[in-house]
Amino acid sequence: MKETIHIYHTNDLHSHFENWPRIRRFLQERRRWHEEAGESVFIFDIGDHVDRSHPMTEGSLGKRNVELLNEAGYDAVTIGNNEGITLPKEGLEILYEEAEFPVVLANLYEEDGKRPKWAQPFCLVHLPNGMTMGLTGATAFFSSAYEQLGWTLSEPLVALEKQINQISGQADIVVVLSHLGIYEDEKIAHTMPKADVVLGAHTHHLLHEGKEINQTLLAAAGKFGYYVGHVMIEVDTETKQILRKKACVYNTMEALPAPANEHKEIEGYAEEGKKALAQPVISLSVPLASDWFAPSELPQLLCEALREWCGADGALLNAGVCLGGLEAGTVTKYDIHRMLPHPINPCLIELSGAELKEVLKQATDDKWSHMTIKGLGFRGKVMGRFIYDRLSVDMEQYRFKVNGTDIVNDHQYKLATLDMFAYGRFFPPLYRAPQKKHFMPEFLRDVMEWKLLHHGFHLKK
């Protein structure tokens, strides 16, 4: 007898709750539809559902995201790097306390080598037709970041192969929840033929009709909830064999109907976050302005704070990282979050004087100000002008200084900056530098709050 098993999947929502009401309604209706027809249906999320750039996620440290997954009826998830390394260790340890679904994750361990209590390397699902589906999952290999937070991460493809080999003898269908990216998914298909379906994420790739490699079906639904993925597996229930696999995606705004009061619900998520972050931080006697293209107080203050926080000789950041200023009067955690929503960590990089000169020279290029940035944790619009603390550049005389003293080519200097400059190839000397220290789990907004609280005397007239 032939039967179709339905799998719906989302990935990399990044707390884009403006798409969530339609997604939730669609998934709930599809589950009801398939169950009434006597068909098996599953809903999986492939990580990065959490993004602390949204105030509701920030205010609940992601626990409200888990509540939304519960409400929509998800059957299993894996984690992305946003769940894994933008939350403090204690935050991830309690994130899934109320989850009504398993977290399938094969390559994360405690420092002592034990698996975390909230995750399991695989799970088996026994279907009404007598067949068994096996699930395993893995997250992207940011090993040094996980180690700094108190976790141990193993190589994901090695971990997956071990789990796939283990469950393939117990399962008729093997599904991988992969927060690894399209290139790693293709490696899985080429090297692990026992994997029947790989549901992908991390690189925000969109496979409209899936991609089949060596009889393994790859599927992925892009980013931000713009699409929902659907995999259909046709099976012979007597022989327990897969007959056919098919994938498609649904455009959230075009194909998914809006529930009643959609806009009110979306606004409610933002308002909930605002209330959760309403704690006062400080009262300013003067406003702090922010301008992306001209000198202004707030980016300069942040740059100074960054240098002090990292214990550096000098600091460099882009003004576009500040999304607004602060008004005089009471400043709340919400105000600081609104201004600095990025999951960007402070970073300390050691450079030779010659390398530091090259970075400062590159930073004077006019191309930066209006450059649009995507990815790397940046939540702004444009780069903006570069801001320095205890660094100066005079291109007419070709002089570069640290704290008023000429930079010496063969001396070593410590530069405080944003981790996105250490990851991205904006400045090759920063990208290539072997000595880097990332401050985790603190974000720029934590540094700003620390500066306002402990150095508030700088803000008085």
Side-chain angles (χ1 to χ4, degrees), residues 36-55:
E36 288 175 355
E39 298 175 320
S40 294
V41 55
F42 299 94
I43 306 171
F44 303 136
D45 186 78
I46 323 300
D48 277 3
H49 191 281
V50 166
D51 193 315
R52 291 176 61 184
S53 62
H54 193 286

Side-chain angles (χ1 to χ4, degrees), residues 3 11 53 105 112 120 144 161 262 280 287 330 345 391 393 405 436 438 451:
E3 183 179 309
N11 61 273
S53 62
L105 182 58
D112 61 5
Q120 56 195 73
S144 60
E161 187 168 26
E262 176 185 35
T330 301
N345 305 107
L391 298 171
V393 182
T405 302
K436 302 174 187 177
H438 298 268
K451 179 69 172 176

Side-chain angles (χ1 to χ4, degrees), residues 322-349:
C322 295
L323 303 193
L326 293 174
E327 299 295 327
T330 301
V331 174
T332 66
K333 285 183 176 290
Y334 175 79
D335 296 321
I336 297 174
H337 180 273
R338 173 184 51 79
M339 177 184 68
L340 294 166
H342 327 269
I344 292 176
N345 305 107
C347 185
L348 183 67
I349 302 178

Side-chain angles (χ1 to χ4, degrees), residues 123-404:
C123 69
L124 298 173
V125 182
H126 302 290
L127 309 183
N129 62 19
M131 298 179 71
T132 299
M133 176 187 292
L135 298 176
T136 188
T139 196
F141 193 48
F142 294 115
S143 57
S144 60
Y146 277 95
E147 288 170 7
Q148 191 166 337
L149 290 170
W151 300 106
T152 298
L153 202 65
S154 67
E155 207 288 323
L157 295 189
V158 174
L160 285 177
E161 187 168 26
K162 179 180 178 181
Q163 299 305 321
I164 289 170
N165 288 337
Q166 181 172 345
I167 65 179
S168 61
Q170 308 171 64
D172 306 296
I173 303 167
V174 176
V175 177
V176 178
L177 311 184
S178 167
H179 196 89
L180 303 178
I182 180 64
Y183 303 112
E184 299 300 290
D185 292 354
E186 290 174 348
K187 289 179 184 177
I188 295 170
H190 282 295
T191 61
M192 305 176 204
K194 295 177 182 178
D196 297 303
V197 176
V198 178
L199 303 178
H202 185 51
T203 45
H204 297 180
H205 53 290
L206 176 66
L207 301 176
H208 287 273
E209 297 180 344
K211 181 177 182 179
E212 193 157 339
I213 300 175
N214 290 345
Q215 297 184 319
T216 296
L217 178 65
L218 309 185
K223 64 178 181 179
F224 301 167
Y226 294 155
Y227 294 87
V228 175
H230 183 193
V231 170
M232 292 146 278
I233 306 173
E234 186 179 344
V235 298
D236 186 318
T237 58
E238 295 180 4
T239 63
K240 296 187 177 181
Q241 297 294 311
I242 295 175
L243 302 176
R244 191 166 65 100
K245 292 172 288 189
K246 181 181 178 182
C248 67
V249 295
Y250 304 97
N251 186 304
T252 300
M253 297 308 294
E254 295 178 4
L256 276 55
N261 300 317
E262 176 185 35
H263 294 296
K264 184 177 180 181
E265 180 180 342
I266 294 166
E267 291 170 0
Y269 293 144
E271 187 61 30
E272 182 180 337
K274 186 175 182 179
K275 289 180 180 178
L277 298 173
Q279 306 97 305
V281 173
I282 194 172
S283 181
L284 296 180
S285 59
V286 294
L288 292 174
S290 179
D291 192 302
W292 296 339
F293 309 114
S296 55
E297 301 95 336
L298 194 65
Q300 192 65 55
L301 187 69
L302 178 61
C303 195
E304 179 183 318
L306 191 65
R307 176 188 56 78
E308 294 170 344
W309 180 276
C310 296
D313 299 307
L316 173 150
L317 57 79
N318 58 302
V321 80
C322 295
L323 303 193
L326 293 174
E327 299 295 327
T330 301
V331 174
T332 66
K333 285 183 176 290
Y334 175 79
D335 296 321
I336 297 174
H337 180 273
R338 173 184 51 79
M339 177 184 68
L340 294 166
H342 327 269
I344 292 176
N345 305 107
C347 185
L348 183 67
I349 302 178
E350 291 192 28
L351 300 165
S352 69
E355 290 170 327
L356 180 54
K357 285 181 181 180
E358 182 60 28
V359 170
L360 295 175
K361 178 183 175 183
Q362 292 174 19
T364 62
D365 194 320
D366 291 338
K367 70 178 182 181
W368 296 114
S369 293
H370 295 276
M371 178 183 289
T372 301
I373 314 172
K374 293 183 179 180
L376 298 169
F378 188 67
R379 298 294 183 265
K381 295 182 179 180
V382 297
M383 182 78 81
R385 68 191 298 268
F386 274 95
I387 309 297
Y388 313 104
D389 185 61
R390 291 195 178 174
L391 298 171
S392 63
V393 182
D394 185 340
M395 290 304 295
E396 289 186 5
Q397 298 186 33
Y398 204 72
R399 296 189 71 177
F400 306 86
K401 295 184 179 184
V402 171
N403 203 23

